[in-house]
Amino acid sequence: QVQLEESGGGSVQAGESLRLSCAVSAYSAKFRCMAWFREAPGKERELVANSDRGGPTYVRDSVKGRFTLFRDRIANALYLQMNTLEPEDTAMYYCALKDGTCDGTHRAVKDYDYWGQGTQVTVSS
């Protein structure tokens, strides 16, 4: 059974950085697409960035230049380096896997097949 476990969240001040990690158990070669979503209180879960085997295919406009998505294929892990954090980045962050490939059109929750439990990121001003 595929399991995803996120870590690295926390409470920081605006302008600081965090790195989120997602470890994948029972990884399969069919899991070409990996992604980070976030869900703020009272808002819908939204895609932050996704990555196919060739690298990132989508990065949300509001985080471009501040967040970097990268993956370690050997370790079956996905990372999200978040710099210059803003209070608006406060949310629960989720790692997700999709069977098959993905591109910038795969932005909906329903497009992804496996989810982690999430890690909380809180940014204060």
Side-chain angles (χ1 to χ4, degrees), residues 38-120:
R38 67 185 182 185
E39 185 173 339
K43 296 187 178 180
E44 294 185 353
R45 193 171 298 189
E46 62 184 21
L47 177 64
V48 176
N50 67 6
S51 172
D52 203 81
R53 285 182 180 173
T57 58
Y58 173 82
V59 179
R60 191 167 199 84
D61 285 345
S62 62
V63 306
K64 282 182 180 177
R66 301 188 297 119
F67 290 12
T68 303
L69 175 73
F70 57 101
R71 58 196 293 177
D72 183 334
R73 296 175 189 174
I74 296 176
N76 296 332
L78 181 70
Y79 303 94
L80 185 67
Q81 177 66 42
M82 305 187 296
N83 298 328
T84 319
L85 282 160
E86 303 171 353
E88 293 74 22
D89 297 317
T90 295
M92 184 71 79
Y93 283 71
Y94 297 91
C95 178
L97 257 61
K98 176 186 177 300
D99 288 346
T101 63
C102 65
D103 56 31
T105 65
H106 295 98
R107 306 182 188 181
V109 170
K110 65 178 178 60
D111 292 330
Y112 294 80
D113 303 289
Y114 303 95
W115 293 85
Q117 293 300 307
T119 185
Q120 178 67 38

